[in-house]
Amino acid sequence: MIADRYAYLQTSLNFPEFDFRIQEDAGKLSIFDSLRKKFLILTPEEWVRQHMILFLIHYEGYPKSLFSLEKGLVYNQVQKRSDILVLNRTGSPFLLIECKAPDIILSQKTVEQVCVYNKSIQAPHIGITNGLKHLFLTFDNVIDQYVQVGALPKFP
């Protein structure tokens, strides 16, 4: 029964395999977030977010001390939360990533969502992932718009 409700856990994401701590309580699954040091409800989006966090830390060398997760922001007087924000070594925003469930298709609308969030955060790099596909964009000051780049920005 639980396996049916959590079929997304069987989906092969476009990440290396990680050993997650998952627990069940009252029919709900939770995953341990190693950055926040607590268990979180395991939603499809959280499954993708936890993969991306570990990928950035263990494969790309992003320092875990510079992550800010679910940072609150206000846009058009509405409270929003970004998924993953990585700061640079001076504490300024470096990379903002929006995570979607694996069954969500990455589209212009999903890219626009992370662009809207970034209006208040002002990170030079943004990304969006559903765990299967990953899109990264960098702000080009010359043409005053984001341009898609072929890979994840290297941490400076």
Side-chain angles (χ1 to χ4, degrees):
M1 185 95 166
I2 286 180
D4 294 337
R5 291 194 342 243
Y6 297 98
Y8 59 88
L9 295 176
Q10 305 306 318
T11 302
S12 273
L13 299 181
N14 188 11
F15 289 107
E17 278 196 36
F18 295 107
D19 188 23
F20 292 104
R21 288 176 44 199
I22 297 174
Q23 69 181 21
E24 181 186 352
D25 186 29
K28 292 189 178 184
L29 291 183
S30 296
I31 187 167
F32 188 75
D33 182 320
S34 62
L35 295 179
R36 292 181 271 188
K37 307 279 190 237
K38 65 180 182 178
F39 280 92
L40 304 169
I41 298 297
L42 183 52
T43 63
E45 181 180 298
E46 193 62 49
W47 184 237
V48 171
R49 180 183 5 244
Q50 292 303 317
H51 276 83
M52 179 56 83
I53 290 167
L54 292 185
F55 178 75
L56 292 171
I57 293 168
H58 295 292
Y59 286 83
E60 295 296 325
Y62 281 56
K64 63 181 172 179
S65 62
L66 298 177
F67 280 70
S68 177
L69 304 179
E70 294 191 319
K71 181 173 177 58
L73 58 103
V74 176
Y75 183 75
N76 282 344
Q77 300 177 343
V78 177
Q79 185 69 35
K80 303 282 186 180
R81 286 187 323 198
S82 62
D83 286 329
I84 300 172
L85 174 61
V86 181
L87 306 174
N88 64 23
R89 296 190 192 281
T90 64
S92 297
F94 173 72
L95 172 64
L96 175 65
I97 300 177
E98 183 66 21
C99 298
K100 298 294 183 189
D103 63 337
I104 301 296
I105 295 170
L106 302 186
S107 65
Q108 183 65 33
K109 182 179 178 185
T110 55
V111 171
E112 287 171 2
Q113 179 184 6
V114 73
C115 289
V116 164
Y117 288 0
N118 200 40
K119 286 185 181 189
S120 63
I121 293 174
Q122 302 278 308
H125 309 284
I126 59 175
I128 188 161
T129 181
N130 63 6
L132 304 170
K133 288 189 170 186
H134 320 292
L135 297 174
F136 294 99
L137 300 101
T138 296
F139 193 77
D140 186 323
N141 291 312
V142 174
I143 59 174
D144 198 35
Q145 67 183 18
Y146 288 96
V147 292
Q148 188 171 342
V149 291
L152 177 72
K154 293 291 179 203
F155 189 80

